[in-house]
Amino acid sequence: MTDDTDAHRRLPADREEPVGEPVVRADPAVTGERAKEAVGFDPDDPESVAEAAETVLAFSQNTVGAADNVYMLRGAAACAALVRGVGSYKAAIDRAGGDVSVSFVRKWARVHDLPQAIRRHVARGDIAPTAAKHIARVSGVDRFDLAWAVVDADLTVRQVRRIASEVDGDTSAADALAARGIELGRLELDLPLETYRELRRRASIENRDPGELAAEALDAYFDERAVSPD
Protein backbone atom coordinates (compact mmCIF):
# COMPACT_ATOMS: atom_id res chain seq x y z
CA MET A 1 0.00 0.00 0.00
CA THR A 2 1.32 3.44 -0.89
CA ASP A 3 0.88 5.92 1.95
CA ASP A 4 0.61 9.37 0.37
CA THR A 5 -2.38 10.52 2.39
CA ASP A 6 -0.45 13.14 4.36
CA ALA A 7 0.32 15.00 1.13
CA HIS A 8 -3.31 16.00 0.58
CA ARG A 9 -5.28 14.97 3.64
CA ARG A 10 -4.84 15.64 7.33
CA LEU A 11 -4.88 12.61 9.61
CA PRO A 12 -5.49 13.71 13.22
CA ALA A 13 -3.35 11.30 15.25
CA ASP A 14 -4.25 12.85 18.60
CA ARG A 15 -7.46 13.59 20.39
CA GLU A 16 -9.27 16.68 19.12
CA GLU A 17 -12.15 16.88 21.61
CA PRO A 18 -11.83 18.53 25.05
CA VAL A 19 -9.98 16.43 27.63
CA GLY A 20 -12.37 14.36 29.71
CA GLU A 21 -15.37 14.76 27.42
CA PRO A 22 -17.12 11.36 26.96
CA VAL A 23 -17.55 11.62 23.19
CA VAL A 24 -17.23 7.89 22.54
CA ARG A 25 -18.61 6.63 25.84
CA ALA A 26 -21.72 8.79 25.46
CA ASP A 27 -22.52 7.58 21.94
CA PRO A 28 -25.38 5.03 21.99
CA ALA A 29 -24.28 3.73 18.60
CA VAL A 30 -21.09 2.49 20.28
CA THR A 31 -21.97 1.76 23.91
CA GLY A 32 -25.74 1.20 23.71
CA GLU A 33 -27.66 1.78 26.92
CA ARG A 34 -24.44 2.43 28.79
CA ALA A 35 -24.14 5.75 26.98
CA LYS A 36 -26.55 7.16 29.57
CA GLU A 37 -24.03 6.33 32.30
CA ALA A 38 -21.15 8.20 30.65
CA VAL A 39 -19.36 10.56 33.03
CA GLY A 40 -17.28 13.48 31.81
CA PHE A 41 -14.42 15.12 33.69
CA ASP A 42 -13.72 18.83 33.44
CA PRO A 43 -10.08 19.68 34.29
CA ASP A 44 -11.11 23.30 34.89
CA ASP A 45 -13.74 22.40 37.49
CA PRO A 46 -12.35 21.68 41.00
CA GLU A 47 -15.26 19.38 41.89
CA SER A 48 -14.83 17.42 38.66
CA VAL A 49 -11.08 17.15 39.25
CA ALA A 50 -11.81 15.75 42.71
CA GLU A 51 -14.14 13.18 41.14
CA ALA A 52 -11.44 12.34 38.61
CA ALA A 53 -8.95 11.75 41.45
CA GLU A 54 -11.38 9.35 43.16
CA THR A 55 -11.99 7.58 39.87
CA VAL A 56 -8.26 7.19 39.18
CA LEU A 57 -7.68 5.65 42.59
CA ALA A 58 -10.59 3.22 42.16
CA PHE A 59 -9.46 2.47 38.60
CA SER A 60 -5.94 1.61 39.75
CA GLN A 61 -7.29 -0.76 42.41
CA ASN A 62 -9.99 -2.50 40.37
CA THR A 63 -8.69 -5.48 38.43
CA VAL A 64 -12.22 -6.85 38.00
CA GLY A 65 -13.02 -4.21 35.40
CA ALA A 66 -10.08 -5.13 33.15
CA ALA A 67 -12.38 -6.89 30.68
CA ASP A 68 -14.77 -3.92 30.50
CA ASN A 69 -13.54 -1.68 27.71
CA VAL A 70 -15.95 1.16 28.44
CA TYR A 71 -14.94 1.13 32.11
CA MET A 72 -11.29 1.28 31.06
CA LEU A 73 -11.94 4.27 28.80
CA ARG A 74 -13.63 6.05 31.70
CA GLY A 75 -10.55 5.44 33.84
CA ALA A 76 -8.34 6.73 31.06
CA ALA A 77 -10.45 9.88 30.83
CA ALA A 78 -10.12 10.41 34.57
CA CYS A 79 -6.32 10.06 34.34
CA ALA A 80 -6.07 12.61 31.54
CA ALA A 81 -8.39 15.11 33.22
CA LEU A 82 -6.64 14.78 36.57
CA VAL A 83 -3.22 15.45 35.05
CA ARG A 84 -4.56 18.46 33.16
CA GLY A 85 -6.41 19.70 36.22
CA VAL A 86 -3.48 19.58 38.67
CA GLY A 87 -0.72 20.37 36.20
CA SER A 88 1.65 17.39 36.36
CA TYR A 89 1.87 13.62 36.71
CA LYS A 90 3.50 13.94 40.15
CA ALA A 91 0.71 16.18 41.40
CA ALA A 92 -1.83 13.79 39.89
CA ILE A 93 -0.60 10.74 41.82
CA ASP A 94 -0.37 12.81 45.02
CA ARG A 95 -3.98 13.90 44.51
CA ALA A 96 -5.21 10.38 43.72
CA GLY A 97 -3.40 8.82 46.68
CA GLY A 98 -3.01 5.11 47.34
CA ASP A 99 -0.45 3.22 45.27
CA VAL A 100 -1.19 5.07 42.02
CA SER A 101 2.01 5.47 40.02
CA VAL A 102 3.17 8.02 37.48
CA SER A 103 3.58 5.19 34.96
CA PHE A 104 -0.04 4.09 35.44
CA VAL A 105 -1.48 7.58 35.02
CA ARG A 106 0.75 8.42 32.05
CA LYS A 107 -0.13 5.22 30.13
CA TRP A 108 -3.87 5.62 30.55
CA ALA A 109 -3.86 9.37 29.91
CA ARG A 110 -2.20 8.57 26.57
CA VAL A 111 -5.00 6.14 25.75
CA HIS A 112 -7.50 8.92 26.34
CA ASP A 113 -5.50 11.09 23.93
CA LEU A 114 -5.79 8.58 21.07
CA PRO A 115 -7.89 9.77 18.11
CA GLN A 116 -11.61 9.09 18.28
CA ALA A 117 -11.48 6.60 15.38
CA ILE A 118 -9.26 4.31 17.46
CA ARG A 119 -11.07 4.85 20.76
CA ARG A 120 -14.33 3.76 19.13
CA HIS A 121 -12.78 0.38 18.31
CA VAL A 122 -11.63 0.11 21.93
CA ALA A 123 -15.16 0.79 23.15
CA ARG A 124 -16.58 -1.77 20.71
CA GLY A 125 -14.17 -4.42 21.95
CA ASP A 126 -12.21 -4.69 18.69
CA ILE A 127 -9.05 -3.39 20.37
CA ALA A 128 -8.22 -4.43 23.93
CA PRO A 129 -7.51 -1.51 26.27
CA THR A 130 -4.15 -3.09 27.12
CA ALA A 131 -3.30 -3.10 23.40
CA ALA A 132 -4.45 0.53 23.17
CA LYS A 133 -1.84 1.44 25.79
CA HIS A 134 0.91 0.27 23.43
CA ILE A 135 -0.70 1.89 20.37
CA ALA A 136 -0.64 5.16 22.32
CA ARG A 137 3.14 4.85 22.70
CA VAL A 138 3.67 5.57 19.00
CA SER A 139 2.71 8.73 17.15
CA GLY A 140 1.39 10.02 13.85
CA VAL A 141 0.14 7.60 11.23
CA ASP A 142 1.88 4.75 13.08
CA ARG A 143 -1.01 4.87 15.55
CA PHE A 144 -3.53 4.22 12.82
CA ASP A 145 -1.44 1.56 11.10
CA LEU A 146 -0.94 -0.37 14.32
CA ALA A 147 -4.58 0.00 15.36
CA TRP A 148 -5.94 -1.18 12.02
CA ALA A 149 -3.52 -4.11 12.09
CA VAL A 150 -5.05 -5.13 15.41
CA VAL A 151 -8.52 -4.98 13.90
CA ASP A 152 -7.70 -6.63 10.56
CA ALA A 153 -4.94 -9.07 11.51
CA ASP A 154 -6.15 -9.89 15.04
CA LEU A 155 -2.83 -9.04 16.68
CA THR A 156 -2.32 -10.09 20.28
CA VAL A 157 -1.43 -7.60 23.00
CA ARG A 158 2.05 -9.12 23.14
CA GLN A 159 2.53 -8.58 19.40
CA VAL A 160 1.34 -4.98 19.66
CA ARG A 161 3.75 -4.34 22.53
CA ARG A 162 6.70 -5.72 20.59
CA ILE A 163 5.86 -3.82 17.41
CA ALA A 164 5.37 -0.55 19.31
CA SER A 165 8.81 -1.06 20.88
CA GLU A 166 10.37 -1.32 17.42
CA VAL A 167 8.83 1.86 16.02
CA ASP A 168 11.29 4.74 15.97
CA GLY A 169 12.65 7.32 13.56
CA ASP A 170 13.98 4.63 11.24
CA THR A 171 11.28 1.95 11.55
CA SER A 172 7.59 2.66 10.98
CA ALA A 173 4.72 0.55 12.21
CA ALA A 174 4.10 -0.50 8.60
CA ASP A 175 7.74 -1.66 8.34
CA ALA A 176 7.53 -3.63 11.59
CA LEU A 177 4.28 -5.22 10.49
CA ALA A 178 5.64 -6.08 7.04
CA ALA A 179 8.62 -7.80 8.67
CA ARG A 180 6.07 -10.14 10.25
CA GLY A 181 4.26 -10.78 6.99
CA ILE A 182 1.38 -8.46 7.86
CA GLU A 183 0.52 -6.26 4.88
CA LEU A 184 -1.60 -3.19 5.40
CA GLY A 185 -4.03 -2.08 2.73
CA ARG A 186 -5.94 -5.31 2.23
CA LEU A 187 -9.58 -5.16 3.25
CA GLU A 188 -12.46 -7.46 2.36
CA LEU A 189 -15.60 -5.52 1.44
CA ASP A 190 -19.20 -6.54 0.84
CA LEU A 191 -20.64 -4.56 -2.07
CA PRO A 192 -24.18 -4.38 -3.39
CA LEU A 193 -24.43 -6.72 -6.39
CA GLU A 194 -25.02 -3.90 -8.89
CA THR A 195 -22.01 -1.96 -7.56
CA TYR A 196 -19.89 -5.10 -7.72
CA ARG A 197 -20.90 -5.82 -11.33
CA GLU A 198 -20.15 -2.25 -12.44
CA LEU A 199 -16.80 -2.17 -10.62
CA ARG A 200 -15.75 -5.40 -12.30
CA ARG A 201 -16.98 -4.21 -15.70
CA ARG A 202 -15.19 -0.87 -15.59
CA ALA A 203 -11.97 -2.37 -14.24
CA SER A 204 -11.95 -4.87 -17.08
CA ILE A 205 -12.63 -2.26 -19.76
CA GLU A 206 -9.87 0.01 -18.41
CA ASN A 207 -7.45 -2.90 -17.87
CA ARG A 208 -7.07 -1.99 -14.22
CA ASP A 209 -7.34 -3.69 -10.87
CA PRO A 210 -10.72 -3.20 -9.13
CA GLY A 211 -8.83 -2.03 -6.06
CA GLU A 212 -7.38 0.92 -7.99
CA LEU A 213 -10.82 2.13 -9.02
CA ALA A 214 -12.17 1.65 -5.50
CA ALA A 215 -9.23 3.61 -4.08
CA GLU A 216 -9.84 6.48 -6.48
CA ALA A 217 -13.51 6.61 -5.59
CA LEU A 218 -12.71 6.59 -1.86
CA ASP A 219 -10.07 9.32 -2.26
CA ALA A 220 -12.64 11.51 -4.00
CA TYR A 221 -15.15 10.79 -1.23
CA PHE A 222 -12.65 11.63 1.51
CA ASP A 223 -11.52 14.82 -0.23
CA GLU A 224 -15.12 16.04 -0.33
CA ARG A 225 -15.26 15.56 3.43
CA ALA A 226 -11.79 16.83 4.28
CA VAL A 227 -13.02 18.57 7.43
CA SER A 228 -14.26 15.79 9.67
CA PRO A 229 -14.18 14.55 13.29
CA ASP A 230 -11.06 12.66 14.31
PDB file of all heavy atoms in Angstrom, residues 60 89 93 97-106:
ATOM      1  N   SER A  60      -7.232   2.265  39.535  1.00  0.00           N
ATOM      2  CA  SER A  60      -5.937   1.607  39.754  1.00  0.00           C
ATOM      3  C   SER A  60      -6.068   0.381  40.650  1.00  0.00           C
ATOM      4  O   SER A  60      -5.231  -0.527  40.592  1.00  0.00           O
ATOM      5  CB  SER A  60      -4.954   2.591  40.383  1.00  0.00           C
ATOM      6  OG  SER A  60      -5.305   2.882  41.726  1.00  0.00           O
ATOM      7  N   TYR A  89       2.096  15.008  36.331  1.00  0.00           N
ATOM      8  CA  TYR A  89       1.867  13.616  36.713  1.00  0.00           C
ATOM      9  C   TYR A  89       2.126  13.427  38.208  1.00  0.00           C
ATOM     10  O   TYR A  89       1.410  12.687  38.886  1.00  0.00           O
ATOM     11  CB  TYR A  89       2.773  12.680  35.909  1.00  0.00           C
ATOM     12  CG  TYR A  89       2.386  12.559  34.459  1.00  0.00           C
ATOM     13  CD1 TYR A  89       3.186  13.094  33.458  1.00  0.00           C
ATOM     14  CD2 TYR A  89       1.208  11.916  34.081  1.00  0.00           C
ATOM     15  CE1 TYR A  89       2.823  12.990  32.115  1.00  0.00           C
ATOM     16  CE2 TYR A  89       0.834  11.810  32.743  1.00  0.00           C
ATOM     17  CZ  TYR A  89       1.650  12.349  31.771  1.00  0.00           C
ATOM     18  OH  TYR A  89       1.286  12.249  30.452  1.00  0.00           O
ATOM     19  N   ILE A  93      -0.643  11.932  40.946  1.00  0.00           N
ATOM     20  CA  ILE A  93      -0.597  10.744  41.817  1.00  0.00           C
ATOM     21  C   ILE A  93      -0.716  11.141  43.284  1.00  0.00           C
ATOM     22  O   ILE A  93      -1.266  10.389  44.090  1.00  0.00           O
ATOM     23  CB  ILE A  93       0.676   9.906  41.572  1.00  0.00           C
ATOM     24  CG1 ILE A  93       1.939  10.695  41.945  1.00  0.00           C
ATOM     25  CG2 ILE A  93       0.750   9.444  40.134  1.00  0.00           C
ATOM     26  CD1 ILE A  93       3.193   9.839  41.946  1.00  0.00           C
ATOM     27  N   GLY A  97      -3.727   9.576  45.466  1.00  0.00           N
ATOM     28  CA  GLY A  97      -3.405   8.822  46.679  1.00  0.00           C
ATOM     29  C   GLY A  97      -3.222   7.339  46.415  1.00  0.00           C
ATOM     30  O   GLY A  97      -3.155   6.887  45.267  1.00  0.00           O
ATOM     31  N   GLY A  98      -3.173   6.555  47.475  1.00  0.00           N
ATOM     32  CA  GLY A  98      -3.012   5.107  47.337  1.00  0.00           C
ATOM     33  C   GLY A  98      -1.678   4.757  46.709  1.00  0.00           C
ATOM     34  O   GLY A  98      -0.672   5.444  46.909  1.00  0.00           O
ATOM     35  N   ASP A  99      -1.675   3.676  45.933  1.00  0.00           N
ATOM     36  CA  ASP A  99      -0.449   3.223  45.270  1.00  0.00           C
ATOM     37  C   ASP A  99      -0.419   3.610  43.797  1.00  0.00           C
ATOM     38  O   ASP A  99       0.271   2.973  42.993  1.00  0.00           O
ATOM     39  CB  ASP A  99      -0.321   1.694  45.390  1.00  0.00           C
ATOM     40  CG  ASP A  99      -0.152   1.251  46.837  1.00  0.00           C
ATOM     41  OD1 ASP A  99       0.494   1.997  47.596  1.00  0.00           O
ATOM     42  OD2 ASP A  99      -0.674   0.181  47.195  1.00  0.00           O
ATOM     43  N   VAL A 100      -1.179   4.625  43.417  1.00  0.00           N
ATOM     44  CA  VAL A 100      -1.195   5.068  42.024  1.00  0.00           C
ATOM     45  C   VAL A 100       0.194   5.551  41.629  1.00  0.00           C
ATOM     46  O   VAL A 100       0.825   6.318  42.366  1.00  0.00           O
ATOM     47  CB  VAL A 100      -2.214   6.202  41.823  1.00  0.00           C
ATOM     48  CG1 VAL A 100      -2.212   6.660  40.374  1.00  0.00           C
ATOM     49  CG2 VAL A 100      -3.605   5.738  42.221  1.00  0.00           C
ATOM     50  N   SER A 101       0.674   5.103  40.476  1.00  0.00           N
ATOM     51  CA  SER A 101       2.014   5.469  40.022  1.00  0.00           C
ATOM     52  C   SER A 101       1.956   6.430  38.848  1.00  0.00           C
ATOM     53  O   SER A 101       0.939   6.511  38.139  1.00  0.00           O
ATOM     54  CB  SER A 101       2.798   4.220  39.612  1.00  0.00           C
ATOM     55  OG  SER A 101       2.227   3.642  38.456  1.00  0.00           O
ATOM     56  N   VAL A 102       3.065   7.125  38.627  1.00  0.00           N
ATOM     57  CA  VAL A 102       3.169   8.020  37.481  1.00  0.00           C
ATOM     58  C   VAL A 102       3.023   7.221  36.192  1.00  0.00           C
ATOM     59  O   VAL A 102       2.353   7.647  35.244  1.00  0.00           O
ATOM     60  CB  VAL A 102       4.520   8.770  37.495  1.00  0.00           C
ATOM     61  CG1 VAL A 102       4.755   9.463  36.147  1.00  0.00           C
ATOM     62  CG2 VAL A 102       4.558   9.792  38.613  1.00  0.00           C
ATOM     63  N   SER A 103       3.648   6.045  36.153  1.00  0.00           N
ATOM     64  CA  SER A 103       3.576   5.193  34.963  1.00  0.00           C
ATOM     65  C   SER A 103       2.136   4.828  34.633  1.00  0.00           C
ATOM     66  O   SER A 103       1.725   4.871  33.468  1.00  0.00           O
ATOM     67  CB  SER A 103       4.398   3.918  35.177  1.00  0.00           C
ATOM     68  OG  SER A 103       4.249   3.035  34.093  1.00  0.00           O
ATOM     69  N   PHE A 104       1.360   4.478  35.640  1.00  0.00           N
ATOM     70  CA  PHE A 104      -0.042   4.093  35.439  1.00  0.00           C
ATOM     71  C   PHE A 104      -0.837   5.257  34.848  1.00  0.00           C
ATOM     72  O   PHE A 104      -1.554   5.099  33.849  1.00  0.00           O
ATOM     73  CB  PHE A 104      -0.649   3.665  36.776  1.00  0.00           C
ATOM     74  CG  PHE A 104      -2.103   3.306  36.705  1.00  0.00           C
ATOM     75  CD1 PHE A 104      -2.503   2.019  36.384  1.00  0.00           C
ATOM     76  CD2 PHE A 104      -3.091   4.257  36.964  1.00  0.00           C
ATOM     77  CE1 PHE A 104      -3.856   1.685  36.303  1.00  0.00           C
ATOM     78  CE2 PHE A 104      -4.437   3.935  36.893  1.00  0.00           C
ATOM     79  CZ  PHE A 104      -4.815   2.642  36.559  1.00  0.00           C
ATOM     80  N   VAL A 105      -0.710   6.416  35.473  1.00  0.00           N
ATOM     81  CA  VAL A 105      -1.477   7.576  35.022  1.00  0.00           C
ATOM     82  C   VAL A 105      -1.048   8.004  33.619  1.00  0.00           C
ATOM     83  O   VAL A 105      -1.887   8.315  32.763  1.00  0.00           O
ATOM     84  CB  VAL A 105      -1.320   8.749  36.009  1.00  0.00           C
ATOM     85  CG1 VAL A 105      -1.988  10.008  35.460  1.00  0.00           C
ATOM     86  CG2 VAL A 105      -1.909   8.388  37.362  1.00  0.00           C
ATOM     87  N   ARG A 106       0.247   7.999  33.360  1.00  0.00           N
ATOM     88  CA  ARG A 106       0.745   8.416  32.050  1.00  0.00           C
ATOM     89  C   ARG A 106       0.224   7.500  30.944  1.00  0.00           C
ATOM     90  O   ARG A 106      -0.238   7.961  29.900  1.00  0.00           O
ATOM     91  CB  ARG A 106       2.270   8.417  32.028  1.00  0.00           C
ATOM     92  CG  ARG A 106       2.835   8.844  30.674  1.00  0.00           C
ATOM     93  CD  ARG A 106       4.341   8.693  30.594  1.00  0.00           C
ATOM     94  NE  ARG A 106       5.034   9.621  31.474  1.00  0.00           N
ATOM     95  CZ  ARG A 106       5.757   9.254  32.517  1.00  0.00           C
ATOM     96  NH1 ARG A 106       5.874   7.971  32.838  1.00  0.00           N
ATOM     97  NH2 ARG A 106       6.363  10.157  33.256  1.00  0.00           N
TER      98      ARG A 106
END
